[in-house]
Amino acid sequence: MASTILIVDDSATILMSMEAILSKGGFVITRASSGEEAFAKLQGGAKPALIITDIHMKQMNGIELIKKVRALPGFQFTPILVVTTESQQQKRDEARAAKATGWLVKPVQPDDLMKVVKQILPQG
Amino acid sequence: MNTRDPAGSAPATHPATAPANAGPARAKHATARIAALALGAGAAAFALVELSAGLGPDASAAGAALIAAAGVAAGYILSFRHGPLPIEMQARLFHVADELAQYRAFTQLVRDQGQRITEITTDAATAIVAGLVDIDSGLVKLAKELDTTAPGTDLGPAASAARAMSEPVVDMLGKVQFQDITQQQIAFIARLSLLVDDHMTLLASELDGRQSFNRAGQFQSRFAQALDDCVMDSQRNDHHTAMGLSLQEDSRPVVELF
């Protein structure tokens, strides 16, 4: 059975682009256009095998989302990838401290994205 | 989209009528001068009364004149406390304040154009992605159908060609991410223009109420704060360059697993 990936980004272009790329890799995609929407889906019972999130979003940013997800029962070990324009070391350190799994800088090459995702979800 | 009133709250005064539209500073000027005149007049009246009463005219007159002079001097000094600028200079300052307010209409226009670009490119990018997805799924379906067509018909090369045509599609789907980068660049520009707006508003209000000793602060310090608004290294590098620094952000891996 194909693994589900939750993609969180306030850019419609990024959501569509990453969904198209990852779908070709055989994954089932769920989208959220804000941190709040993503968190609500998780609280509502969604159980993705991987979460991919942007950092700079209005209201709840990606770092805050990661911290809240980690505090949810059953999500302490769910892999969370950050995909962002941001490259600052301080932000990376914040994400790492919040227990993110990895960091990718936009624009993400489809090959790089697929390679990292398949590394995290080898079963597909 | 930013909805702030570009005209702001700076006074829209004409130089020729500026003196008539006196603010609090000018009212205090008038009060001080009236008080000085009243004091001087009172002292002069006292001197006249003393002289007519015959109580040592020389001493009394001298004393009255001294009091009158002190009154006028006090009034004169009081009027200077609120600024000795001639009417022309005040008019110019009001004019500058008015012009600063007008610049905000310009920065609003710039922000609106940025918003328009973001909307157009979002529509185009999402349409491109949708189109690419359709093309890709069409080619995959074609390749499958060619693979399963009646045996004996060599359509292998055609099926391979269909698969080969869908390969660049994935790369193009990645390239469409440019729109998100562009959108964030435009949003950063909009934030910079708002920073300029705020500073011009403060400067305009300072020119209007020249008694205020609150400093609007140097624009350079505000611009330094804009560094916190940067969301990518290229913006920080541009900021360093604009500040005259030869500092560049360290390069870091684009893919990192923690």
Short mmCIF file of all heavy atoms in Angstrom, two decimals, chain A residues 23 28-29 31 49-50 52 70 72 77 82 86-87 98 101 106 108-109 111-112 114 118:
data_model
loop_
_atom_site.label_atom_id
_atom_site.label_comp_id
_atom_site.label_asym_id
_atom_site.label_seq_id
_atom_site.Cartn_x
_atom_site.Cartn_y
_atom_site.Cartn_z
N SER A 23 3.73 12.15 -6.59
CA SER A 23 2.73 11.18 -7.08
C SER A 23 3.34 10.27 -8.13
O SER A 23 3.03 9.08 -8.19
CB SER A 23 1.53 11.92 -7.71
OG SER A 23 0.83 12.64 -6.74
N VAL A 28 0.92 8.73 -2.10
CA VAL A 28 -0.39 9.38 -2.01
C VAL A 28 -0.18 10.70 -1.27
O VAL A 28 0.49 10.74 -0.23
CB VAL A 28 -1.39 8.49 -1.23
CG1 VAL A 28 -2.69 9.22 -0.98
CG2 VAL A 28 -1.62 7.19 -1.99
N ILE A 29 -0.72 11.76 -1.81
CA ILE A 29 -0.43 13.09 -1.26
C ILE A 29 -1.66 13.72 -0.62
O ILE A 29 -2.77 13.66 -1.17
CB ILE A 29 0.08 14.03 -2.38
CG1 ILE A 29 1.30 13.41 -3.09
CG2 ILE A 29 0.42 15.42 -1.83
CD1 ILE A 29 2.47 13.11 -2.18
N ARG A 31 -2.65 17.60 1.03
CA ARG A 31 -2.11 18.96 1.03
C ARG A 31 -2.73 19.80 2.14
O ARG A 31 -3.88 19.61 2.51
CB ARG A 31 -2.39 19.66 -0.31
CG ARG A 31 -1.92 18.87 -1.50
CD ARG A 31 -1.83 19.70 -2.74
NE ARG A 31 -3.10 20.20 -3.21
CZ ARG A 31 -3.29 20.74 -4.41
NH1 ARG A 31 -2.29 20.84 -5.25
NH2 ARG A 31 -4.46 21.18 -4.77
N ALA A 49 2.81 9.18 6.57
CA ALA A 49 4.09 8.54 6.88
C ALA A 49 5.22 9.56 6.89
O ALA A 49 6.28 9.32 7.45
CB ALA A 49 4.39 7.46 5.84
N LEU A 50 4.99 10.70 6.26
CA LEU A 50 6.00 11.75 6.16
C LEU A 50 5.27 13.09 6.07
O LEU A 50 4.23 13.18 5.42
CB LEU A 50 6.88 11.54 4.92
CG LEU A 50 7.80 12.69 4.47
CD1 LEU A 50 8.89 12.99 5.49
CD2 LEU A 50 8.45 12.35 3.11
N ILE A 52 6.00 17.10 4.97
CA ILE A 52 6.93 18.05 4.35
C ILE A 52 6.35 19.43 4.56
O ILE A 52 5.20 19.68 4.20
CB ILE A 52 7.09 17.76 2.84
CG1 ILE A 52 7.67 16.36 2.62
CG2 ILE A 52 7.97 18.82 2.19
CD1 ILE A 52 7.78 15.96 1.15
N ARG A 70 5.17 17.31 17.12
CA ARG A 70 5.97 16.43 17.99
C ARG A 70 5.28 16.22 19.33
O ARG A 70 5.48 15.19 19.99
CB ARG A 70 7.38 16.99 18.22
CG ARG A 70 8.29 16.92 17.01
CD ARG A 70 8.55 15.49 16.61
NE ARG A 70 9.46 15.38 15.48
CZ ARG A 70 9.28 14.54 14.47
NH1 ARG A 70 8.25 13.72 14.46
NH2 ARG A 70 10.16 14.49 13.48
N LEU A 72 2.08 15.93 19.66
CA LEU A 72 0.88 15.11 19.47
C LEU A 72 1.20 13.65 19.73
O LEU A 72 2.25 13.16 19.27
CB LEU A 72 0.37 15.25 18.02
CG LEU A 72 -0.57 16.39 17.67
CD1 LEU A 72 -0.91 16.32 16.20
CD2 LEU A 72 -1.83 16.37 18.52
N PHE A 77 7.84 10.29 16.23
CA PHE A 77 8.87 9.75 15.33
C PHE A 77 8.49 9.88 13.86
O PHE A 77 9.19 9.35 12.99
CB PHE A 77 9.15 8.28 15.68
CG PHE A 77 9.54 8.09 17.11
CD1 PHE A 77 8.69 7.46 18.01
CD2 PHE A 77 10.75 8.59 17.58
CE1 PHE A 77 9.06 7.31 19.34
CE2 PHE A 77 11.12 8.43 18.90
CZ PHE A 77 10.27 7.80 19.79
N VAL A 82 11.79 19.73 6.14
CA VAL A 82 11.55 21.16 5.90
C VAL A 82 11.97 21.47 4.47
O VAL A 82 13.08 21.11 4.06
CB VAL A 82 12.37 22.02 6.89
CG1 VAL A 82 12.27 23.49 6.53
CG2 VAL A 82 11.90 21.78 8.32
N GLU A 86 14.67 29.38 2.88
CA GLU A 86 15.59 29.76 3.94
C GLU A 86 16.80 28.84 3.99
O GLU A 86 16.67 27.62 3.82
CB GLU A 86 14.83 29.73 5.27
CG GLU A 86 15.60 30.23 6.47
CD GLU A 86 16.10 31.66 6.29
OE1 GLU A 86 15.33 32.60 6.51
OE2 GLU A 86 17.28 31.80 5.89
N SER A 87 17.98 29.43 4.25
CA SER A 87 19.18 28.61 4.33
C SER A 87 20.00 28.94 5.57
O SER A 87 21.06 28.37 5.80
CB SER A 87 20.02 28.82 3.07
OG SER A 87 21.09 27.90 3.02
N ALA A 98 13.87 21.30 17.14
CA ALA A 98 12.45 20.95 17.21
C ALA A 98 12.20 19.52 16.73
O ALA A 98 11.07 19.05 16.72
CB ALA A 98 11.62 21.92 16.35
N THR A 101 13.50 16.25 10.61
CA THR A 101 14.32 15.15 10.10
C THR A 101 15.36 15.63 9.10
O THR A 101 16.45 15.06 9.00
CB THR A 101 13.42 14.11 9.42
OG1 THR A 101 12.36 13.76 10.31
CG2 THR A 101 14.18 12.86 9.03
N LYS A 106 14.63 25.46 -1.37
CA LYS A 106 13.93 25.69 -2.64
C LYS A 106 14.81 26.54 -3.57
O LYS A 106 15.55 27.41 -3.08
CB LYS A 106 12.64 26.49 -2.39
CG LYS A 106 11.53 25.76 -1.70
CD LYS A 106 10.39 26.77 -1.48
CE LYS A 106 9.28 26.19 -0.65
NZ LYS A 106 8.29 27.23 -0.27
N VAL A 108 13.64 22.98 -5.11
CA VAL A 108 14.13 21.63 -4.89
C VAL A 108 14.16 20.88 -6.22
O VAL A 108 13.15 20.85 -6.93
CB VAL A 108 13.22 20.87 -3.90
CG1 VAL A 108 13.77 19.49 -3.63
CG2 VAL A 108 13.08 21.65 -2.62
N GLN A 109 15.27 20.29 -6.54
CA GLN A 109 15.34 19.47 -7.75
C GLN A 109 14.49 18.22 -7.51
O GLN A 109 14.58 17.59 -6.44
CB GLN A 109 16.79 19.05 -8.03
CG GLN A 109 17.72 20.21 -8.33
CD GLN A 109 17.23 21.04 -9.51
OE1 GLN A 109 16.82 20.50 -10.53
NE2 GLN A 109 17.25 22.34 -9.35
N ASP A 111 14.81 15.27 -8.54
CA ASP A 111 15.64 14.10 -8.22
C ASP A 111 16.06 14.11 -6.76
O ASP A 111 16.04 13.07 -6.09
CB ASP A 111 16.91 14.08 -9.09
CG ASP A 111 16.59 13.69 -10.52
OD1 ASP A 111 15.47 13.18 -10.75
OD2 ASP A 111 17.45 13.88 -11.40
N ASP A 112 16.47 15.28 -6.27
CA ASP A 112 16.89 15.39 -4.86
C ASP A 112 15.73 15.06 -3.93
O ASP A 112 15.89 14.36 -2.93
CB ASP A 112 17.39 16.81 -4.56
CG ASP A 112 18.75 17.09 -5.17
OD1 ASP A 112 19.46 16.14 -5.52
OD2 ASP A 112 19.09 18.31 -5.31
N MET A 114 13.02 13.25 -4.55
CA MET A 114 12.66 11.83 -4.60
C MET A 114 13.71 10.99 -3.86
O MET A 114 13.36 10.04 -3.15
CB MET A 114 12.56 11.35 -6.05
CG MET A 114 11.28 11.76 -6.77
SD MET A 114 9.75 11.32 -5.90
CE MET A 114 9.97 9.58 -5.64
N LYS A 118 12.70 8.75 -0.68
CA LYS A 118 12.85 7.29 -0.76
C LYS A 118 13.83 6.79 0.29
O LYS A 118 13.74 5.64 0.73
CB LYS A 118 13.28 6.88 -2.16
CG LYS A 118 12.11 6.98 -3.12
CD LYS A 118 12.38 6.35 -4.47
CE LYS A 118 11.06 6.32 -5.23
NZ LYS A 118 11.21 6.04 -6.64
#
